[in-house]
Amino acid sequence: MSGAWGLFPYETIDYKAAQAWLEKRGAAGLRLNGIYLRTLARFRREDAPVHYFVDVDCGEGEDYLRLCADAGWEPVADVRGMTVFVSRPGERPVPIQTDPAMEGRRFLRRYLLKNVLLTLGLLLAVAALAAGLALLGPGGTNWTELFLMNSNLLLPVWLLVAVAALAWDIPATILCWRRVRRAAAAGEEAPVPGAFRSRLRGILGLLPQVLWLLYLLATLVELLLGLGGGRQTELPEGAPRAVYQSCPILMPEDMGVEPEGWVHLRRNRSFLVPELIQYTELVRGEEQTQIFETDRYRCRWEWTARLLLQALRADSAAGRSGTLAGKLEFVPVDMEFDEAYATEEGHYLLLRQGAVVVLLHGGDTQLTDPGVRTQLERVLTGGNRG
Amino acid sequence: MARRKLDTLTEPMYYVLLALRTERHGYGVMQYIQALTDGRVNVGAGTLYALLDRFERSGLICRTRAEEGRKYYRLTAPGEEILAQEYARIRRQAEDMDRVLREEEGQ
């Protein structure tokens, strides 16, 4: 027995359009078997036409379904607050709802009011989430991380689509409310929404969920398997010092300090940041341990570098930058680079030149000192040690 | 209270109450109305379910028993009264129409 698949993206607000779409297939003898993943409708072919009825929020229970079954309607799918009923092949039962005014009032009361409250609740939740993220301290969002994992590229797309879907949903719900209320008052059937518009609205409504699932999946894959970008490599312990020296980083020997102790360097890459070098070295000083750190980000575009620099500033201020110093407040300094920021005592620098951003810490050295400039230029341009 | 809410019965309401002068289950009501009106009046399962619920809450009908998953209903005394009032209203309307037609024929 042959069959067919179809996309069933309809929102509850367009249940009449969903019914019209199903009726077309029913006229061709296609009987719905079920709706999978909330969107994929599976049909099987019958020898005679079948009819459909889509009921909204059909939560009355067993006796309601029994009455519908007695009347010739079999429930075949429950999706997004809609119950799809199908007739036996070749039969045309009395439609489940025969009083347009009652049906309209029921739709207003059971679905539209709930949908309005749900949308308002969703808006409040989004606002609360945004406020929470803005107020959170070190435990909050790490903005820099957004640039370092490819799966994060889906986040702005998700946000855009979610906002577009919500922006469409609110006026559409209000217009639907007015249309159905007017029709119910007149005892008439509410007009069936346009097929193309209903399908488009449904797809737009589903996209945020699909994108969010994709994002979660991509993040999981990226974290567990190191696939799809964000790959890391680390230098093995005991690697020759010359290997470190070949990297565009600020090292103890650059500042006249004798290297000694623990050193660590790893490389990372993602789509937005094709090369990230993260270097940390501990040097035993006369009084206390000296720390040398370089985080060098080579971004794909200059605008990305500008955004990344601001993300690093925000994360540093909140203590999320990953440096060993905790919270760092960077203020603008004039160093004749595209952008330059330093901490108050000048031990940390945040620089951007073109598409390269570096976060530097050179022990107790005053990095804003003009004598260090040559080393800074080398780190920023990726040139060799002189 | 019931009368105030149901001042005028719609056609499906009238026939549902009429059908429940005898104890029936939901589908029995649907079949009876269809047969009585020769298919002119059809009450869908969803519409009937909502009406039965409303009539029961208004005290116009009561549930008598349940058998094989089907609930049986019957008209109550207030339901009889409402139905009789509606019948009288419809008869008056018909008599008025008759009078008008007779007058027109006499002219």
Side-chain angles (χ1 to χ4, degrees):
Chain A
M1 194 175 283
S2 63
W5 287 93
L7 186 67
F8 189 90
Y10 299 97
E11 298 278 351
T12 320
I13 199 169
D14 293 320
Y15 77 105
K16 284 292 178 193
Q19 184 174 310
W21 182 77
L22 286 166
E23 277 286 82
K24 268 189 191 170
R25 268 136 199 87
L30 289 173
R31 185 202 185 275
L32 185 70
N33 261 1
I35 296 174
Y36 304 96
L37 297 172
R38 295 163 55 86
T39 46
L40 297 173
R42 175 70 184 156
F43 296 92
R44 72 165 188 251
R45 200 167 290 281
E46 297 285 356
D47 297 331
V50 294
H51 291 277
Y52 290 96
F53 196 91
V54 179
D55 207 10
V56 174
D57 201 12
C58 166
E60 275 90 352
E62 281 301 309
D63 48 338
Y64 181 68
L65 296 179
R66 177 65 194 255
L67 184 56
C68 291
D70 282 345
W73 292 108
E74 183 195 341
V76 277
D78 269 300
V79 61
R80 290 185 286 283
M82 294 176 278
T83 304
V84 180
F85 291 88
V86 66
S87 73
R88 282 182 282 270
E91 290 184 13
R92 193 185 188 99
V94 174
I96 290 177
Q97 302 292 342
T98 47
D99 187 326
M102 274 177 71
E103 187 182 1
R105 281 195 298 271
R106 182 169 177 264
F107 179 60
L108 284 173
R109 193 178 63 243
R110 291 202 176 185
Y111 171 69
L112 273 180
L113 183 62
K114 205 162 74 179
N115 194 43
V116 167
L117 294 174
L118 200 72
T119 306
L120 285 175
L122 198 68
L123 279 173
L124 284 174
V126 169
L129 191 70
L133 283 176
L135 292 173
L136 274 178
T141 305
N142 189 322
W143 300 110
T144 311
E145 278 296 314
L146 295 177
F147 294 81
L148 303 180
M149 286 184 74
N150 289 340
S151 53
N152 288 332
L153 291 172
L154 283 169
L155 280 178
V157 181
W158 170 79
L159 191 68
L160 201 72
V161 173
V163 167
L166 207 61
W168 191 349
D169 196 39
I170 293 169
T173 304
I174 294 168
L175 286 176
C176 179
W177 179 291
R178 288 181 57 186
R179 206 171 49 230
V180 173
R181 199 175 56 176
R182 204 176 299 149
E188 295 167 356
E189 273 192 44
V192 179
F196 175 74
R197 201 174 44 184
S198 302
R199 286 182 77 77
L200 187 65
R201 180 161 46 212
I203 289 168
L204 192 62
L206 284 170
L207 264 182
Q209 298 166 46
V210 174
L211 282 171
W212 188 251
L213 277 176
L214 272 178
Y215 165 70
L216 291 180
L217 195 69
T219 306
L220 199 71
V221 168
E222 214 166 353
L223 287 174
L224 292 180
L225 305 175
L227 297 174
R231 283 193 188 162
Q232 292 183 9
T233 51
E234 288 188 29
L235 279 182
E237 255 181 68
R241 188 120 191 113
V243 177
Y244 293 94
Q245 286 170 338
S246 65
C247 298
I249 53 178
L250 192 67
M251 298 180 71
E253 48 266 50
D254 300 325
M255 313 307 293
V257 178
E258 191 65 28
E260 186 185 356
W262 179 85
V263 59
H264 181 250
L265 186 140
R266 69 172 183 167
R267 289 173 188 272
N268 199 334
R269 66 186 166 90
S270 67
F271 179 76
L272 291 178
V273 183
E275 186 189 53
L276 162 62
I277 298 172
Q278 287 178 306
Y279 150 81
T280 309
E281 182 160 6
L282 301 181
V283 180
R284 225 169 286 130
E286 282 182 16
E287 290 181 7
Q288 57 181 15
T289 305
Q290 303 261 310
I291 302 166
F292 277 74
E293 285 176 282
T294 303
D295 287 352
R296 185 180 189 275
Y297 304 83
R298 183 171 60 78
C299 299
R300 191 165 290 277
W301 300 288
E302 194 170 331
W303 65 266
T304 325
R306 274 193 225 112
L307 285 175
L308 176 65
L309 184 128
Q310 293 311 320
L312 279 165
R313 267 191 85 188
D315 286 339
S316 299
R320 295 189 296 255
S321 66
T323 62
L324 300 176
K327 292 184 182 181
L328 295 171
E329 286 291 344
F330 282 100
V331 291
V333 285
D334 185 14
M335 294 182 72
E336 295 181 352
F337 291 113
D338 285 349
E339 286 183 82
Y341 297 86
T343 50
E344 197 179 355
E345 67 286 353
H347 293 161
Y348 282 88
L349 274 189
L350 185 55
L351 305 173
R352 182 183 70 80
Q353 186 68 30
V356 175
V357 177
V358 289
L359 176 64
L360 290 164
H361 180 205
D364 290 341
T365 321
Q366 284 284 337
L367 293 176
T368 46
D369 193 292
V372 190
R373 186 174 172 87
T374 315
Q375 296 293 353
L376 298 182
E377 280 175 359
R378 179 184 57 76
V379 172
L380 276 168
T381 57
N384 293 322
R385 284 183 162 76
Chain B
M1 177 64 96
R3 190 178 302 174
R4 203 180 310 145
K5 271 189 180 173
L6 299 162
D7 268 344
T8 308
L9 299 180
T10 61
E11 197 172 39
M13 285 176 171
Y14 177 77
Y15 279 105
V16 171
L17 290 181
L18 187 59
L20 289 175
R21 284 173 64 85
T22 304
E23 182 195 55
R24 285 190 169 88
H25 56 68
Y27 185 54
V29 172
M30 288 174 69
Q31 286 177 309
Y32 178 77
I33 294 172
Q34 206 167 25
L36 184 70
T37 63
D38 290 327
R40 186 180 62 80
V41 178
N42 285 305
V43 184
T47 303
L48 176 66
Y49 191 86
L51 285 179
L52 291 175
D53 179 55
R54 190 171 163 192
F55 288 154
E56 195 182 6
R57 277 189 286 114
S58 304
L60 303 187
I61 62 170
C62 64
R63 206 177 300 179
T64 50
R65 63 193 164 101
E67 213 174 271
E68 293 173 355
R70 293 188 177 95
K71 290 174 187 167
Y72 286 74
Y73 300 89
R74 194 188 164 86
L75 215 56
T76 58
E80 289 276 11
E81 192 190 330
I82 290 277
L83 187 64
Q85 283 172 1
E86 187 65 14
Y87 174 58
R89 193 181 67 83
I90 293 168
R91 283 195 66 168
R92 277 199 302 275
Q93 282 180 341
E95 283 165 10
D96 290 343
M97 181 76 184
D98 283 344
R99 197 181 311 132
V100 169
L101 288 175
R102 277 198 303 273
E103 282 171 9
E104 282 175 0
E105 279 170 13
Q107 281 175 356

